[in-house]
Amino acid sequence: EAGVAQSPRYKIIEKRQSVAFWCNPISGHATLYWYQQILGQGPKLLIQFQNNGVVDDSQLPKDRFSAERLKGVDSTLKIQPAKLEDSAVYLCASSLDASWWGDFGGYTFGSGTRLTVV
Amino acid sequence: GQQVMQIPQYQHVQEGEDFTTYCNSSTTLSNIQWYKQRPGGHPVFLIQLVKSGEVKKQKRLTFQFGEAKKNSSLHITATQTTDVGTYFCAGPPSSGTYKYIFGTGTRLKVLA
């Protein structure tokens, strides 16, 4: 099966510019996540979608970050305006329905987008 | 909020030695997952443990979920250079949210 697709792979922007990341999850996966991973740290959840509805966005800096998942499939994450501290790898992941606590097979992560803000 | 800590932060071992990383949560977890991230790569799902005291094995890897469901461990027997990477645990609290919080990670380096 095809994995989680993300683009672009790398992005360098100046502070105060805007940037957008795209994610196409595994077909049939209801749950989609955006994580931010700063170098040397564990992934931090930014937003979680169940189909096209937001389940959790409590750690999303909503003054500058926005995300949407149209038709419950693809998703985009946008940063506007970017700050130096936004430099990180942005990981998209998907999973089968994670709205229960049984063994759902874990998350499948994409290769990520490495963002550098200068 | 929920915090998930892992120790040690770094571990260097000689090839063939054993390795263990420990995961400790500030709150009771409904289940726990383990991921491996190779240098420059993305996290890859290894396993999920659901039951209190559960032990699962994958070849040289042994995973354990604590009786109180607040801690977990990953043990690798006879490490190989292919084991190099950062190992993360992740779990949601048992209080009703499905948000998986990732641990701080343990970076393993295997010396040939």
Side-chain angles (χ1 to χ4, degrees):
Chain A
E1 86 186 340
V4 176
Q6 285 190 250
S7 67
R9 191 76 174 88
Y10 304 93
K11 191 74 177 178
I12 300 175
I13 62 173
E14 295 182 350
K15 59 183 179 182
R16 291 188 289 273
Q17 285 187 324
S18 62
V19 64
F21 313 126
W22 173 83
C23 172
N24 182 243
I26 290 176
S27 177
H29 278 192
T31 313
L32 184 147
Y33 318 79
W34 283 101
Y35 279 85
Q36 179 194 59
Q37 187 173 27
I38 293 173
L39 187 63
Q41 299 182 16
K44 170 189 166 187
L45 179 67
L46 294 176
I47 189 166
Q48 177 177 342
F49 292 95
Q50 183 74 15
N51 296 309
N52 60 351
V54 175
V55 174
D56 189 298
D57 63 356
S58 57
Q59 297 196 87
L60 187 73
K62 297 180 187 64
D63 57 334
R64 299 184 301 106
F65 286 65
S66 64
E68 61 181 4
R69 189 181 185 193
L70 299 175
K71 301 180 181 178
V73 182
D74 293 8
S75 178
T76 57
L77 175 69
K78 297 179 182 178
I79 307 175
Q80 182 179 11
K83 293 185 175 181
L84 296 176
E85 58 261 35
D86 298 331
S87 293
V89 175
Y90 290 84
L91 294 161
C92 178
S94 70
S95 70
L96 295 171
D97 189 347
S99 60
W100 66 297
W101 290 332
D103 193 340
F104 63 89
Y107 298 178
T108 301
F109 282 87
S111 298
T113 297
R114 183 176 299 275
L115 174 67
T116 303
V117 183
V118 298
Chain B
Q2 178 193 5
Q3 292 186 343
V4 182
M5 304 297 292
Q6 287 181 248
I7 54 171
Q9 187 175 4
Y10 301 98
Q11 184 81 56
H12 293 182
V13 299
Q14 204 69 34
E15 188 174 22
E17 292 183 338
D18 292 356
F19 160 77
T20 303
T21 173
Y22 299 92
C23 171
N24 297 289
S25 171
S26 58
T27 59
T28 303
L29 301 170
S30 60
N31 65 78
I32 194 150
Q33 298 180 354
W34 283 92
Y35 291 81
K36 176 184 178 182
Q37 185 171 24
R38 294 182 184 273
H42 55 274
V44 175
F45 174 74
L46 295 177
I47 207 162
Q48 179 169 335
L49 303 170
V50 179
K51 300 176 184 176
S52 169
E54 188 172 10
V55 177
K56 286 187 176 180
K57 292 189 177 183
Q58 286 181 350
K59 297 182 180 178
R60 296 179 294 104
L61 278 61
T62 301
F63 304 85
Q64 186 168 8
F65 200 9
E67 293 289 341
K69 301 184 80 172
K70 293 184 71 174
N71 55 70
S72 179
S73 64
L74 159 58
H75 179 81
I76 302 178
T77 303
T79 54
Q80 300 174 0
T81 54
T82 53
D83 296 324
V84 164
T86 301
Y87 292 85
F88 291 101
C89 61
S94 55
S95 57
T97 174
Y98 306 104
K99 182 168 70 176
Y100 279 75
I101 304 298
F102 276 74
T104 48
T106 294
R107 186 178 300 177
L108 172 65
K109 189 168 184 176
V110 180
L111 306 173

